[in-house]
Structures are given as structure tokens and as C-alpha cells.
Amino acid sequence: MLKNYFKIAFRNLWRHRVFSFINIMGLTVGMTACLLIFLYVRFELSYDKFHPRADRIYRMVADLRTPSETVYPSGPAWAVGPHLQYDLPEVEAFTRVNYDNLLVRKGDIKFNEDDAIWADSAFFNIFGFPLLKGDPHTALSQPFSIVLSETAAKKYFGKEDPMGKTLLITGEGKPAIVTGVMKDMPENTLIKSDLVLSMNTITRVFEKGIDDEWGNYGALTYVLLKHGSNAQALQKKFPAFLDKWNGTEMKKMQMFPTLLLEPLKDVYLKSTRDGSKGNMMNVYVFSIIAIFILVIACINFINLTTARASERAKEVGIRKVAGAVRGQLARQFIGESVIICLISFLLTLGLSSLLLSSFNELAGKIISTGIFSNIGLLFLLLGIALLIGLLAGIYPAFILSSFKPIMVLKGRFATGAKGSILRKSLVITQFAISTALIIGTIIVYRQMQFMRSRDLGFKKDQVLVVDTNGDNNTQTFQKLVANLPNVKATTLSGSVPGSGHQGAYSEVENVKGDLQIANLDLYFVDFDYIPLYDIKMAAGRPFDRAYKTDSSKAMVLNEAAVKILGYHSPQDAIGKRFKQWGREGQIIGVIKDFHYHSLQSPIKPLTMRIEFNRFGLLSVKVNPTNTQATIAAIEKEFKTVIPNRPFSYYFMDEFFDRQYRSEERFGRLFLDFAVLAIFISCLGLLGLASYSTMQRTREIGIRKVMGASVSNIINLLSKEFLKLVIISFFIAAPIAWYLMNKWLLDFAYRTVISWWVFAGAGILAVLIALITISIQALKAAMANPVKSLRTE
């Protein structure tokens, strides 16, 4: 009997090849998209959850309240970590993590390691980064200790054993001893580095006394709590802890920190601090898209399966006359449906394996090395496939098998209204989802265009930036470059738009005449910075070599800083006093606000000062002709005066635009999966239109004989489906507006959702549906009516 069921199932599949192909491919594409998206979502949710003690690891952050504002540094003061265990027994261990762009040399091998980190000795005890060589308890205990990843060890030492060997670090060439080799850090961690150096090198050698600095904020600090300790209860002890160690200084400086604990597993997606690169809203959006695509694929499968079920009514009648009982018929129909789903599942495995490499590239990270590395997810997808088959087979199994054979064999069987209503409801659902995705795609694209085209307030084109890492010969290098042909202008600075900045304790005269305390962003620049980047002045003047005091007693503010000081006009701030990091002087100018961060962040108060020993970046305005020759000439001068460092440069426009790379990937993924969803919907609509046309073959023949034109026939077959698509638009529009409006809230500067977005999406949905339906309708309208009237 089972063999007979399989034979009939495959015979039916082959007999109706077109419908079988639409059914199987629609479900395969849907499940493939769903599997890839959930691999992505699962990866995003897995960040830093692999650490054995992840449940007890917290990142400490600070809200820093001043009389002007509340700022949110990425970490607390440097002194917090070393003092925690004195008063707070809940803390088992702590480590600070400080990122650095570090020059590392071994003979002729030299690299600027952009992701080097300094960490306290408990680093490898707190985190689950395994050491292949060395002792995790002592690897970072001594100054000038360094732990390399496997990749870094091969880069510097090849096949040699690096343990105990020496590398030269920093521009001064300080010797550091290799005390450990760790496995390469996985992709799904925020703490990503190939070199970990002992923090003792900083605290005991480079910056003695920094462990007692309570006003120096931004040290990324992680704590491991003891078993049974409660993070919320510990947070309540922090105010007393700060008051004990730093109460007098807090009141004097009028800077009051609030210490908070963020669970390590939540930092990547849920933290709003600097260094948190994930986006929980994107995870939600992709999860919804995956569910939507799977729902559309299921609807297609169920629709086409139930629509064709009525064609097998006579087969059911004959089988029942031959003695088949209702249970046997039900098992047959459900079994056939499940077989089709299993075929789709197997095809999904193959298609996903083929597409995984391209999907990793599109996502910008290795989300999975192979689909079989996520067995649990595959079993879940198999379960979904079996459930779809079960649901799709229930209608023919229990409805058709219930009819009396004599009625069916006399031809008195007809599809009921309930089946028609079910199919129409499902078509409305799938096209509502597709229309919502079309609307979402247009809005995502508009936001990307908005970010690309918005006036940033500075010019970034044809500016090349060379990183000298503050080498002693930086100013000599600038003079040589300035004399090169095709070089229009140069400027030295500590920061460029899109890169880091200093957060500086500042006292600036406000509208009341008081020195207002604030923590302001600070750029160290030279005299040519403002004109080279074409930053506009709102009041006063830029730095000028004609004024000798500009290099030591002058400050330039942006408009955002002027506002927090209470001035109604930028001109009112000119000549006001300031104190900042041991410097005192007057405000000489106010620049117009410019976006020195991405458009996801609002423009913050910014100050600029000249301080020559803080320069590490040379910005070069170049002529666009023969750019490669200009770069080669700059590199030659670099190697002449700064021979111990590798030549490193980037173009300002490319560097600044990297901030939007994750949003661009999101937009591309959103577009690709939206197109897939629309394609699957069209497959289903094509199948239903084909079935509807076949059911009305004789009617079409009679209408043509009676004089109906091709356009009349197309209109007859199309209008019913177009009504469903229009209804789906009115369902989709408000849902899409709500979801995309929430997504846009993540951007400080965002596009407006215009009415034409919905109108355009509605028209596009109707056109897509009309084209899909017309393919089959035109074929039916052009058919010979004589053949149509002969159809049984």
C-alpha cells in the first residue's frame, strides 16, 4: 500500500509538472531565505555568549552629569577598576581594555596594529579566550608582556616558537616579551584583537599614577561578579563608593558620575555607548522578514495544493467505490503533501550551501562556516516543512474524502465558497506582506540616499589622510609634502571627521558671565585645518598665524557649544574666557555645526585648539589628476623622514563613508529579501491565475465565440485578483508606516516618509500583479475557442 501511495504521488507530480515546479520552487526559495536570515539573526544574538562566565561578566559605564549636560563616555574613570575590590566584595575580578593603534616591529617586519589592546592581568581569567601557550594567570602580569593570536604569531615569527621572543613596540622601539599565544578571537565578540599587551606597561611605566585618576574618563572596564552576587544590588553601592574615593573632587569639578553595569551578553545589541556596533532593530526587522517570507511561501503552497484538490474528486470517488476508507484517503493526501515539502527541504539544504559564501560576503562577516554547523536550526526547519505539508494536506484529506462517491462520479461535485474565501484571504495576506516590503525597501533606500547627499558642513573630496602616529618628524614630513606638485594644501591635526576625539573637562564663560563647567569634545588642529576642510565660520575668525597668541590662548567653538552656554547668537560668544586642560584664553571664533560623526548621532558641542605635540594625522588636499603618482611621491617622503613606521593612508571621503557600511549592508539585504518575497508571491499568483484560467476554459471559449475581444478576456481574468491586491495595499500601508517609522528613530537625522512612497509602492504592487496575471490571461485569451469548447 505504501509503495502505491508513493507511486501515485510522483505520478501526480509529473503529470502536473508546471504546478509542481511552482509549488516546490516557491517553498524552496522561501525556506532558503528563511534559513539564511535566521543564521544571520542567530549569529547577531550570539555575541560574547561563548565566554564560560558570560552570565557574571558586566561592562561598567558612566553617565557623567555636569552643570551643562549629561555626557555618556564609553567607560568610567581610570581609577574605578583598581579600587573596586577594596570596598565591594561582590567583585571577583576586573580588567580594563584600552584600544591602541600600535607600531610593532621585528627586524624588517613592521605593522601599525590598529586593533591592539592593553588589558589588566585578569583579562584571560575573566574572558573565555583560550591560550594555546602560556599561563592565563600570569601572561599579562608584568610590564611589557604581550600575547599574540595565532595569526599574529605567524605574521611575526613564521614557524618559530614565539614564546619568550621579543617584539619592539611604539615609536621608541620598547622591547616586549611574548608571554602567550591565544586562539584567534572569534567573529562574534566585541573585544577583537590580535595583540593583547599588559596594562601594567601603561600604569607603571608610560603613565604612572593613572590608576588614581578619577577625572580621566573612558577606560573600558569589565567586572566579573562572584557567584550569587546581584548586579542591581551592587549598583546601589556605587554612589557611596564614589563619594568615599572622589567626593571632594566631584564637588569641586562639578562632574557627578553615575556608574552602571551592562550585562556583557547585552552590550553588542542593546548598549547605546560608543563601541557597540550591533542594532537590535535590524535583528527584529530581519526576523520579521524571515517570518514573512516563510508565511508567503506557506500560503503559496497551501493555496495551490487546495486549489488543485478539487480536480481529484473523481479519483476519490473511484477509490471509495473500490473500498478505500476515509482514513486511507486522508493519509494518502497528507503523505503526498509531506513528500513535496521534504523535496523542498532537501533542495533548501543544497541551495543554502551554495549561497552561504555569497551571503557571508553580503553580510560583511562570517556568520556561518556551513549550514550543517547549526543542526538545531535545520531540525527546526525540517519540522516547519513537515508542518506545512500537514496543513496543506488537511483540506483534501478531510474535505474531499468526506464526499459521497455516487455524487462525485455523477459530476455534481463543485468547489465550495469556503475554499474560495480561504484562497482569497491567503492571497490578500501574502500581497499585503509583499507591499509592506516594497514600502520598506523604498524608505530604506531613501534614508541611505539622504545620508549620502546631506550637506555635512565640510568638504571631504580629494583629501588624503596620512597617519604618522605623532612621530617626532611629523612637521618635517608636512613641509616636504606641501612642496610636492599636485598638492594644493596640507594641515596637521589630532582628529579628522569620522575619527576619534578627545573629551575635555572645560570651563567656558557663559551668558551670565560665569565659567560654566562642561565636558566638551576637543579637536587639536593647526592653522590650516578650518580652510582645508572648508568649514564655514558663523562668527569671529579662524586660527591665524598673524596672531601669535592663537597657538596657546585661542579657542574655536561650534554652534552646538554656543547653545549650551546660553548665547542667542554666535557673535555673543566671541572674546569670552575659557579654561581647558591647563590652558586659558579667549574664544576667537565660532564655526558652523558640521557632522564630525555619522548622521546616526546628533552634532555635539565641539572645541578646537592648537597644540603641536598632539598632531598625528596629516590631511593633504590633492589635485585629482595623476593621483597615484602623488601618493607615490608622498610615500617616498614618508619613508625618508619616518623610516621606522609603515606608510598608511586613506581618502577622507571613503573613510567617512565607512560609518554607513552597516546601514548599506542592511539596505542591500533588505532589498534582496524583499525581491525574493515578491518573487514568491508572484509565483503563487501565477499558479492561481493558471488554475483559475483552466477552470474557466469553456467560459472563455464561449465568450470568444460570442465576440469578446482579447482585452475583454484579460480584464475578466485579471479584475478579481487585482481587487485582492488593492485590498492588501490598504492593509499593508499603515503597518509598514509604523514599522519603518520605528526603524528611522535610530537615526538622529532622517528622511521624511512622504505620501508618494505609499502611492508608488501601491502602483508597483498592482503592476507586478497585473504583469504576473496577464501572462496567463493573455495565453488564455489568444487560445483557439474551438479547442477551449472541446475541453472536458
Side-chain angles (χ1 to χ4, degrees):
M1 181 64 73
L2 188 61
K3 180 181 178 181
N4 188 47
Y5 285 163
F6 276 105
K7 185 185 293 185
I8 293 171
F10 285 107
R11 186 182 295 165
N12 274 310
L13 286 175
W14 183 249
R15 183 182 175 188
H16 304 289
R17 291 184 290 275
V18 174
F19 285 96
S20 298
F21 175 80
I22 292 174
N23 237 354
I24 291 172
M25 287 312 299
L27 190 56
T28 298
V29 171
M31 288 199 296
T32 299
C34 186
L35 176 59
L36 292 176
I37 290 175
F38 274 119
L39 284 175
Y40 173 83
V41 170
R42 183 176 180 272
F43 178 82
E44 289 291 284
L45 293 173
S46 71
Y47 264 74
D48 285 310
K49 292 183 178 177
F50 59 87
H51 300 289
R53 303 177 180 90
D55 291 336
R56 295 192 285 130
I57 303 173
Y58 292 81
R59 187 174 81 167
M60 182 175 285
V61 296
D63 292 349
L64 190 57
R65 180 170 52 86
T66 72
S68 301
E69 58 180 342
T70 299
V71 294
Y72 305 95
S74 55
W78 276 82
V80 168
H83 289 77
L84 283 173
Q85 291 168 299
Y86 294 141
D87 294 352
L88 304 171
E90 295 92 339
V91 177
E92 181 175 322
F94 84 95
T95 184
R96 291 162 298 183
V97 176
N98 187 43
Y99 287 86
D100 197 0
N101 183 345
L102 189 70
L103 175 64
V104 181
R105 288 179 288 159
K106 178 183 178 290
D108 294 331
I109 303 172
K110 53 188 175 184
F111 290 95
N112 272 329
E113 297 287 355
D114 296 330
D115 63 350
I117 61 175
W118 304 88
D120 287 291
S121 58
F123 180 83
F124 289 106
N125 295 328
I126 293 175
F127 297 109
F129 301 120
L131 288 186
L132 302 176
K133 295 181 179 180
D135 185 346
H137 301 288
T138 60
L140 298 175
S141 61
Q142 296 301 315
F144 294 104
S145 299
I146 183 170
V147 175
L148 304 176
S149 69
E150 287 181 280
T151 299
K154 290 176 183 176
K155 182 167 68 174
Y156 288 105
F157 295 98
K159 295 182 180 179
E160 292 181 58
D161 184 358
M163 293 295 290
K165 301 278 194 328
T166 300
L167 291 172
L168 301 181
I169 62 172
T170 74
E172 291 76 24
K174 301 287 186 180
I177 307 299
V178 179
T179 55
V181 177
M182 62 182 176
K183 288 188 67 175
D184 286 349
M185 291 182 176
E187 186 80 30
N188 56 338
T189 178
L190 270 177
I191 307 169
K192 187 80 172 159
S193 178
D194 283 323
L195 294 93
V196 183
L197 301 101
S198 60
M199 185 66 76
N200 287 334
T201 313
I202 294 178
T203 59
R204 296 184 192 175
V205 182
F206 293 154
E207 297 185 51
K208 292 181 180 179
I210 196 173
D211 277 352
D212 294 310
E213 289 187 7
W214 291 91
N216 187 353
Y217 287 85
L220 285 173
T221 304
Y222 297 87
V223 296
L224 175 67
L225 302 190
K226 292 179 181 177
H227 285 286
S229 296
N230 183 281
Q232 296 300 319
L234 177 59
Q235 275 188 179
K236 293 178 181 179
K237 295 183 178 182
F238 288 154
F241 165 79
L242 289 171
D243 189 62
K244 173 185 174 180
W245 292 100
N246 192 40
T248 303
E249 189 176 355
M250 286 192 302
K251 293 169 186 175
K252 178 183 176 182
M253 298 181 68
Q254 291 295 292
M255 298 180 73
F256 299 95
T258 300
L259 298 181
L260 303 168
L261 294 174
E262 296 180 331
L264 178 66
K265 294 188 291 186
D266 293 343
V267 170
Y268 175 70
L269 288 174
K270 297 181 181 179
S271 177
T272 58
R273 310 287 166 153
D274 292 341
S276 305
K277 300 177 183 178
N279 189 320
M280 195 66 190
M281 179 55 70
N282 288 356
V283 171
Y284 289 142
V285 169
F286 280 127
S287 299
I288 291 170
I289 289 175
I291 293 169
F292 278 178
I293 290 176
L294 192 59
V295 167
I296 289 172
C298 294
I299 287 171
N300 274 359
F301 187 83
I302 293 170
N303 248 347
L304 293 176
T305 302
T306 56
R308 294 198 56 82
S310 59
E311 293 184 22
R312 301 183 65 179
K314 286 189 177 181
E315 177 192 338
V316 171
I318 292 171
R319 285 182 175 277
K320 293 191 82 170
V321 168
V325 296
R326 187 175 181 181
Q328 289 175 320
L329 293 171
R331 286 194 295 273
Q332 179 188 337
F333 283 113
I334 291 175
E336 289 180 13
S337 180
V338 169
I339 286 171
I340 295 174
C341 288
L342 289 175
I343 293 172
S344 295
F345 174 74
L346 294 175
L347 290 174
T348 295
L349 297 183
L351 188 58
S352 298
S353 297
L354 290 174
L355 294 176
L356 187 58
S357 177
S358 299
F359 186 71
N360 283 335
E361 186 176 340
L362 187 60
K365 58 185 78 175
I366 307 298
I367 61 168
S368 179
T369 54
I371 62 168
F372 294 104
S373 62
N374 299 275
I375 298 297
L377 197 57
L378 295 184
F379 275 112
L380 176 62
L381 195 65
L382 175 61
I384 291 172
L386 294 174
L387 181 63
I388 294 168
L390 182 64
L391 292 175
I394 284 176
Y395 177 82
F398 293 101
I399 302 300
L400 292 182
S401 61
S402 66
F403 287 109
K404 295 180 179 180
I406 190 167
M407 301 292 291
V408 174
L409 293 175
K410 286 183 177 182
R412 296 179 185 174
F413 171 79
T415 54
K418 290 183 179 179
S420 176
I421 292 171
L422 172 65
R423 286 191 292 276
K424 288 178 180 179
S425 299
L426 294 177
V427 168
I428 289 171
T429 301
Q430 69 176 177
F431 258 87
I433 293 172
S434 297
T435 305
L437 289 175
I438 292 173
I439 294 170
T441 302
I442 295 173
I443 292 172
V444 168
Y445 177 78
R446 275 174 55 79
Q447 178 63 17
M448 295 301 105
Q449 287 298 105
F450 175 82
M451 294 167 70
R452 288 288 191 186
S453 61
R454 183 177 171 86
D455 182 11
L456 298 173
F458 72 97
K459 295 291 172 53
K460 54 186 172 67
D461 298 328
Q462 298 305 317
V463 176
L464 181 146
V465 181
V466 181
D467 189 354
T468 69
N469 280 276
D471 191 272
N472 293 332
N473 292 323
T474 293
Q475 293 186 45
T476 304
F477 172 60
Q478 181 197 20
K479 292 174 183 177
L480 292 171
V481 171
N483 293 322
L484 292 174
N486 287 331
V487 171
K488 295 180 178 180
T490 64
T491 183
L492 286 170
S493 63
S495 303
V496 294
S499 72
H501 58 271
Q502 301 285 343
Y505 175 80
S506 311
E507 296 177 64
V508 187
E509 186 178 348
N510 62 22
V511 70
K512 296 178 182 179
D514 302 323
L515 284 177
Q516 181 171 316
I517 294 171
N519 192 69
L520 303 177
D521 289 349
L522 171 60
Y523 269 21
F524 292 112
V525 303
D526 72 2
F527 294 99
D528 303 308
Y529 189 89
I530 292 174
L532 185 141
Y533 281 102
D534 198 17
I535 300 169
K536 305 301 181 185
M537 299 301 299
R541 62 177 178 82
F543 298 108
D544 191 334
R545 289 182 177 86
Y547 297 87
K548 294 182 178 179
T549 57
D550 275 11
S551 60
S552 59
K553 296 182 179 181
M555 174 184 282
V556 171
L557 304 176
N558 69 349
E559 293 172 304
V562 170
K563 288 176 184 176
I564 69 167
L565 296 171
Y567 295 111
H568 297 293
S569 167
Q571 186 62 43
D572 297 338
I574 304 302
K576 303 304 180 185
R577 298 169 296 150
F578 79 85
K579 293 181 180 180
Q580 188 182 68
W581 276 12
R583 293 288 182 93
E584 296 184 30
Q586 291 183 326
I587 297 168
I588 63 167
V590 176
I591 55 173
K592 290 189 175 181
D593 285 340
F594 70 97
H595 292 278
Y596 60 99
H597 291 304
S598 75
L599 295 179
Q600 286 181 305
S601 305
I603 297 174
K604 297 179 180 179
L606 175 68
T607 61
M608 289 184 177
R609 284 200 294 108
I610 294 177
E611 200 160 322
F612 294 105
N613 62 348
R614 299 277 187 168
F615 297 155
L617 299 173
L618 174 66
S619 300
V620 185
K621 190 86 169 180
V622 298
N623 195 310
T625 59
N626 207 2
T627 304
Q628 290 304 315
T630 304
I631 295 172
I634 294 172
E635 182 177 7
K636 181 180 178 181
E637 299 296 353
F638 184 94
K639 290 180 176 179
T640 300
V641 297
I642 311 177
N644 291 329
R645 295 184 181 275
F647 178 66
S648 174
Y649 76 94
Y650 52 83
F651 280 99
M652 186 64 223
D653 54 351
E654 295 175 358
F655 174 76
F656 192 85
D657 290 346
R658 283 178 204 160
Q659 298 177 102
Y660 306 122
R661 192 169 291 171
S662 61
E663 284 75 27
E664 287 176 348
R665 290 194 185 109
F666 171 81
R668 177 69 186 276
L669 286 169
F670 194 103
L671 173 63
D672 289 349
F673 287 119
V675 169
L676 269 180
I678 294 164
F679 169 74
I680 298 169
S681 296
C682 290
L683 273 181
L685 197 60
L686 179 65
L688 282 178
S690 178
Y691 170 74
S692 177
T693 302
M694 185 183 64
Q695 291 287 87
R696 303 176 73 172
T697 301
R698 282 195 171 185
E699 177 190 346
I700 293 168
I702 293 170
R703 286 180 180 275
K704 290 196 70 175
V705 169
M706 297 298 293
S709 64
V710 171
S711 60
N712 293 144
I713 301 299
I714 292 175
N715 182 60
L716 172 72
L717 296 173
S718 302
K719 64 181 182 181
E720 181 182 352
F721 288 106
L722 288 180
K723 287 179 184 176
L724 302 180
V725 173
I726 291 170
I727 292 170
S728 71
F729 167 77
F730 287 103
I731 294 172
I735 296 173
W737 177 87
Y738 173 77
L739 292 175
M740 296 315 298
N741 190 57
K742 289 201 71 172
W743 178 74
L744 286 173
L745 291 177
D746 282 342
F747 298 88
Y749 303 92
R750 48 189 176 269
T751 187
V752 176
I753 303 179
S754 305
W755 64 269
W756 65 261
V757 171
F758 300 94
I763 292 169
L764 186 60
V766 169
L767 285 175
I768 291 171
L770 187 60
I771 292 169
T772 304
I773 297 163
S774 296
I775 293 172
Q776 191 62 38
L778 185 62
K779 181 180 176 183
M782 299 294 290
N784 188 333
V786 175
K787 291 184 178 179
S788 300
L789 292 172
R790 287 176 177 173
T791 300
E792 289 295 331

